[in-house]
Amino acid sequence: MRTRRPAILSSFIAVSAIAAFVPNAAAQSREPYPGFDAYVAKAIQTWKIPGLSVAIVRNDSVIYAKGFGVIAARSSTPVNEKTLFEIGSSSKAFTATLIAMLVTDGKMRWDDRLTTYLPDFRMYDPVANEEVTIRDALTHRSGIARGELAWLGSGISRDEVLHRVRFLKPEASFRSHYSYQNMMFLAAGQAAGKAGGSSWDQLVRERIFQPLGMTSTVTTYRGLVNANVAVPNGMDHDTAFAKPPFDAENIAPAGAIMSSAADMAQWLRFQLNDGVVGGKRLVSSAALRETHTPQILMTGGEGGRGGAIDSVKRFSSYGMGWMVEDYRNALSWQHGGNTLGMTAAVGMLPEKKVGVVVLSNMQGAQLPGLIERYVFDRELGAPMKEWSGEAYTRMLNQRKRADSLEQVQLAGHAAAQLPVPLSAFVGTYADSLYGEMTVSLKDGHLDLARGDIHGPLEYWNANNFRWHLPLTAPTGPTYIKFEITPENTVTGLYFGLAGDVTLLGRKGATGRGGRGGAPAP
């Protein structure tokens, strides 16, 4: 009996430590500030957001966790604090923290070259190709353009996404400029998997989700069996429509995690408690601090409430997976997340030991970031500002301007004449970065396919078509412009997002098209 006592005592201590990290369910349901529940409930009705979940942490306690609304636009099932949402780019902090753990173990260093772990990784710019490090990948300072459609809706693997980075031209010189880049976070995550002798997915589960008690959180929706999952929704003016979950498997370390407010509250506690959970340190203080340290100044933002300087902050910088800013003269760490159907805001005031997470099932929603600000104001004792109401008024004014522009576009569409026969557009268009797209003629109309996604092309005006994609596609209707020579030969099509459009050459056609220049060897 005497020899078994240390083991029993050790087990009791371990169980006690885990129990200490579990929040008090009764305390979570109490309103954190007078009128908060009514404020949130009114705001989701105003913005027409189907469902939303909020958790607030203060002084290592979960003081609030609650759901509002329903899991889908046409559902009666309520959201609660355990409902899973896509957290989008808020996943990036998990990748950075995992690497901090590997740095703690001596298995990685921040300034190791990416090719130390990914020997085949290449970049277009020879200088960046020679010098790019783990730190560069985690801080959006690679200089390369976003190239989102290289992976989004492409149906290709993580390895193929990384292969295509070599064809992505810079938009700024290396390390000179903040250039938001999802594929570089994928590279960092894949490198972490190699360094840890496993995969990014397995390491995040074993080293973060499990020790923190984030029992419902997953690295991707694939294989998910939990029924308490919010359905992504897009917004076309006042009409919401349901989409299937956003498939970010091929970019997962940058934005594929699904979690709940209850689980994310444990993540906030861990970050605010300097990497300690239940009395056990999971990452060195120095390594975790590096993720919270400004690495590059930001001139723009991504996710949640963005990074532009405004009335409540004077500086905005990017750490590693976190935006490091001031908020009303208080230090803040935050990162939003946007997927094609959901929006998240995750933020902390570390000096106040306060954190908040807001998860919603609507694409491009401003409200999660606005609620985050509401909580910060209350915790700082700042004068109350009507964040939601003021932002909604601005949005309505912006919508009116967009409606006017759309009417002008529709007028041009009505009078348009097709420049060449439909058959002239049929063919395959290809590019090293974006792969192949095929135009076919079906039942008297053109159909454009890319990977597993296809939809009809509606002639719009000049050389432009509107591509109507199904609800299962990662984007809504978009415009495709074709290149047509004076001899009425179709030689290419333009594809990409605003500011990052590339000409894909038509196979077998003469004339310009495709991606010029040579990638790094």
Side-chain angles (χ1 to χ4, degrees), residues 149 152-154 436-440 445-460 464-470 473-482 493-497 504:
L149 292 178
L152 183 62
S154 65
E436 292 189 351
M437 302 181 74
T438 302
V439 177
S440 58
H445 73 266
L446 295 178
D447 188 269
L448 178 59
R450 182 185 186 229
D452 297 329
I453 299 169
H454 72 92
L457 287 172
E458 175 192 7
Y459 179 61
W460 201 253
N464 303 305
F465 284 76
R466 194 178 189 191
W467 190 19
H468 294 272
L469 292 168
T475 61
T478 190
Y479 291 91
I480 300 291
K481 179 181 178 180
F482 286 86
L493 67 80
Y494 292 90
F495 182 70
L497 299 175
L504 279 68

Side-chain angles (χ1 to χ4, degrees), residues 76 87 94 111 129 182 204 243 245 263 358 396 416:
S76 59
I87 70 168
F94 287 85
D111 296 307
N129 183 64
N182 283 306
V204 169
K243 287 185 176 183
D263 276 9
V358 187
L396 289 179

Side-chain angles (χ1 to χ4, degrees), residues 100-116:
M101 292 173 170
L102 294 169
V103 169
T104 300
D105 296 344
K107 294 180 178 179
M108 297 184 85
R109 294 179 300 179
W110 297 116
D111 296 307
D112 283 343
R113 291 182 60 197
L114 267 176
T115 50
T116 301

Side-chain angles (χ1 to χ4, degrees), residues 352-367:
K352 297 288 184 180
K353 296 294 184 182
V354 168
V356 57
V357 56
V358 187
L359 309 175
S360 75
N361 60 346
M362 179 163 283
Q363 177 178 339
Q366 297 183 46
L367 187 58

